[in-house]
Amino acid sequence: MTPRDLFSRWEDQQAAYVAHRENRFQVMLDVLGLHRPDDPTVLDLACGPGSITDRVLSRFPRARAVAVDHDPVLAELARSVLESYEGRARVVEADLAHAGWSSALPAWSFDAVLTSTALHWLSPGQLLAVYTELARLLPPGSVLLNADHLRFGDGQPALRRMSAEHDTAVRKAAFAGGAATWEQWWALAAEHPRLAPLTLERERRFADRPPQPPAPLEFHLAALRTAGFTEVGTVWQYLDDHVVFARR
């Protein structure tokens, strides 16, 4: 199985867990195009195997991107997937849970930060710290787009129930159609000769990272304002799946 094959399996696997995943990416790219039509410089935060960067560089032939992740397996897969873009992409390993992670980035001026289905791994305090570090890093006028499940709380039980039922139905249909589960995909990655040697390092890096309580939409918006972003809101929503926008 080539890296591109494994990447495609990742895309199918993620679509099983994120309904209308391609729609959220389309919205993010549309906003990026409206903000910087020709040659955006993008920071792909918690990039996984490069899903956002691959789409950005394909849609914007003069764009360049830095893709950042703490997972050594996914970062290495991203390097393989993005090498076809001939220098327009760089992959950096950095841990967003620790202050100063942005020091690992090249000295580029970023027009936008894009991230998807990733920042929920951070605690509320870590999330605020990441937003604050981004506000210091980004020049005025740049934008941030964060696509993620932002769960409904106890005060919205009907919406929470419907969202959970919809997620279950989407997963069931995707798995019936041949998509790998999260566990099955990682089993495939562990068999790949380029990635297998990195699996133990991955286990070490994430050994002390318990699941975090979900941060609702209101927390993200408030944290972005506190961090120093001047305009915040949502540009897309489907049930509890949102694309949050912030302007520096």
Side-chain angles (χ1 to χ4, degrees):
M1 181 176 292
T2 68
R4 264 289 171 183
D5 292 334
L6 195 58
F7 176 79
S8 295
R9 295 295 297 272
W10 170 273
E11 295 294 283
D12 292 341
Q13 174 257 129
Q14 286 288 286
Y17 294 98
V18 181
H20 305 297
R21 182 170 179 259
E22 209 58 47
N23 286 1
R24 61 150 66 161
F25 286 139
Q26 182 67 47
V27 168
M28 296 172 84
L29 294 177
D30 286 349
V31 172
L32 179 61
L34 291 167
H35 171 65
R36 182 83 180 195
D38 298 321
D39 56 350
T41 298
V42 172
L43 176 59
D44 181 357
L45 202 63
C47 67
S51 301
I52 288 177
T53 295
D54 185 55
R55 288 168 171 81
V56 167
L57 299 185
S58 177
R59 174 157 167 175
F60 302 97
R62 295 171 58 196
R64 59 179 184 166
V66 176
V68 179
D69 208 289
H70 187 47
D71 189 316
V73 175
L74 295 180
E76 185 61 24
L77 181 56
R79 291 185 184 96
S80 299
V81 168
L82 300 174
E83 62 187 5
S84 63
Y85 289 103
E86 299 179 345
R88 291 199 292 137
R90 296 190 190 181
V91 178
V92 173
E93 293 182 39
D95 186 357
L96 301 182
H98 289 90
W101 57 268
S102 62
S103 63
L105 303 178
W108 294 5
S109 179
F110 293 101
D111 301 302
V113 177
L114 274 58
T115 183
S116 176
T117 325
L119 298 189
H120 61 263
W121 290 104
L122 299 172
S123 70
Q126 291 167 341
L127 183 61
L128 175 58
V130 166
Y131 284 155
T132 301
E133 192 155 345
L134 287 172
R136 289 196 296 263
L137 172 70
L138 297 173
S142 56
V143 300
L144 177 149
L145 294 164
N146 175 22
D148 211 342
H149 285 300
L150 303 178
R151 304 297 187 184
F152 293 112
D154 293 339
Q156 297 168 299
L159 287 169
R160 185 170 61 179
R161 174 185 57 79
M162 287 188 288
S163 297
E165 290 177 357
H166 185 262
D167 287 347
T168 298
V170 169
R171 286 196 300 270
K172 183 177 179 180
F175 296 151
T181 65
W182 174 265
E183 294 79 11
Q184 289 169 338
W185 187 89
W186 281 102
L188 289 172
E191 296 173 356
H192 193 280
R194 185 166 174 174
L195 304 179
L198 300 170
T199 55
L200 288 179
E201 174 61 15
R202 179 181 189 271
E203 292 176 6
R204 185 193 69 79
R205 291 187 186 185
F206 293 102
D208 61 345
R209 303 293 174 92
Q212 297 296 323
L217 171 64
E218 292 75 14
F219 178 87
H220 283 266
L221 299 179
L224 286 162
R225 292 188 187 99
T226 300
F229 288 88
T230 60
E231 182 180 354
V232 302
T234 59
V235 291
W236 183 81
Q237 178 183 355
Y238 187 91
L239 293 174
D240 62 0
D241 196 15
H242 295 74
V243 177
V244 172
F245 168 91
R247 182 176 184 272
R248 178 69 181 90

